[in-house]
Amino acid sequence: MRRTLSVALSALMALSIAATAATAHAQAGGRGGQDQGGGDDQAAKKKKRDDEWNQPKAPLAQLRNAGPCPYVKVLYDASRYVEFKDGKESAAQTAYTGEIQGLSSGCAYKSNDPIKMQVQMLFELGRGPQATGNQKTYRYWVAVTERNKDVLAKEYFDLPVTFRDGQDRVYATETLKTITIPRADEKVSGGNFEVLIGFDVTPEMAAFNRDGKRFRVNAGQTQQAQTQPGNVAKP
C-alpha cells in the first residue's frame, strides 16, 4: 500500500514522505542448530543462521549522491515494544514484545534536487505466556526531522504478524521504497536531516525502555524459568 505524507515548512522548503511498506514476512525464529563439531564450515553456518533468522541478504543498493545522507536511527525510548498483562513488569506477565534489530539505508541527490532515500528495517517480534492469540498487529512510525530540531513529517505503519503454533518469535523485514526531502537549494545537504524510527509505544513502555530494563530470560521459556528471581534487571 502506498502512503504519502507532506508538511510545509516556512517559505524555503517543504517535506514529504511517500513510502511503500513491504508486506511483513516472517519465518520461525531460532538461533541455529547445535554445534556439529570443529569441522563445520563457518560460511555455511552463517548462511544457515541468516536463512533461519530471515535476515536481509544484502544491504540496499548503493545510491549516488552529491553529499552526506541524512542520519537514520532508532529512537531509544521507542526501540522496543514490551506489553505486560495488567501492567505488571515480569516475564510471566509478558504478552507481546518487539525490537528493531537492524537498519539499512541509502540516499541520492545532486544539484538542488530533493533527497531520495530508501530504508530497510529488521524487526524481531515475540509472543509471551500472556499472549491472547497467534496474531498481532504492531505499529511503528517513521519521522523526518531537521537534525536535533523539529519534526517535519511523521507517518505510522502497521506490521501484522502471525505466530505458528508453538512459535514464540518471528522476524520481519519492512522496506520504505522512497522518502523524499525537498531542499531549499544545493547548499542544503542531507546532513541537515535525520530519519527517526520507533514503535508506537505507551508512556509506560517508553519509561521501561528509558530505564534500560531487560529480561534475563526469553518471553517464551517455561513458566518455571519465567518466575525465577532476577528476571528483570537494569544494566
Side-chain angles (χ1 to χ4, degrees):
M1 181 179 294
R2 196 170 191 80
R3 302 176 176 88
T4 302
L5 171 67
S6 28
V7 58
L9 305 180
S10 69
L12 294 178
M13 67 177 67
L15 183 147
S16 69
I17 295 180
T20 300
T23 302
H25 60 281
Q27 292 183 343
R31 300 187 177 272
Q34 296 179 347
D35 187 4
Q36 297 179 0
D40 287 349
D41 181 82
Q42 293 300 320
K45 290 168 65 177
K46 181 179 184 301
K47 182 179 184 303
K48 178 181 178 182
R49 182 176 66 250
D50 288 349
D51 289 342
E52 291 177 344
W53 286 14
N54 196 22
Q55 297 272 19
K57 298 301 183 293
L60 293 172
Q62 183 63 44
L63 303 178
R64 298 179 63 85
N65 54 282
C69 291
Y71 295 84
V72 182
K73 61 185 180 182
V74 178
L75 187 67
Y76 184 72
D77 289 2
S79 61
R80 293 183 295 143
Y81 180 98
V82 185
E83 180 182 326
F84 298 106
K85 180 180 179 181
D86 301 326
K88 298 178 181 178
E89 294 184 2
S90 73
Q93 296 299 313
T94 303
Y96 297 96
T97 64
E99 187 163 359
I100 301 173
Q101 292 281 15
L103 295 174
S104 179
S105 66
C107 80
Y109 63 96
K110 61 182 180 179
S111 184
N112 61 350
D113 292 346
I115 301 168
K116 295 184 177 181
M117 297 188 64
Q118 298 180 14
V119 178
Q120 189 175 77
M121 299 154 285
L122 176 65
F123 293 86
E124 179 185 21
L125 309 161
R127 176 173 62 167
Q130 298 300 328
T132 56
N134 65 348
Q135 294 183 328
K136 170 70 175 178
T137 297
Y138 294 83
R139 203 171 194 220
Y140 69 94
W141 51 263
V142 178
V144 178
T145 75
E146 286 188 89
R147 192 175 176 194
N148 299 321
K149 294 183 180 179
D150 296 335
V151 173
L152 305 178
K154 188 175 183 179
E155 181 78 23
Y156 288 86
F157 301 95
D158 289 334
L159 176 57
V161 299
T162 299
F163 299 90
R164 295 198 296 268
D165 291 342
Q167 185 182 33
D168 66 359
R169 179 176 53 186
V170 297
Y171 290 86
T173 300
E174 289 275 276
T175 301
L176 301 181
K177 293 294 186 182
T178 58
I179 299 176
T180 303
I181 308 175
R183 298 182 295 147
D185 54 49
E186 62 184 9
K187 297 178 182 179
V188 179
S189 77
N192 291 287
F193 304 96
E194 288 182 329
V195 176
L196 303 177
I197 300 169
F199 283 103
D200 185 21
V201 296
T202 65
E204 292 77 16
M205 291 178 183
F208 183 87
N209 292 337
R210 194 178 307 120
D211 290 342
K213 297 178 181 178
R214 188 174 288 273
F215 292 117
R216 297 189 187 280
V217 298
N218 293 332
Q221 288 185 348
T222 64
Q223 181 72 19
Q224 180 179 0
Q226 290 158 357
T227 55
Q228 292 298 316
N231 53 17
V232 178
K234 294 183 181 180

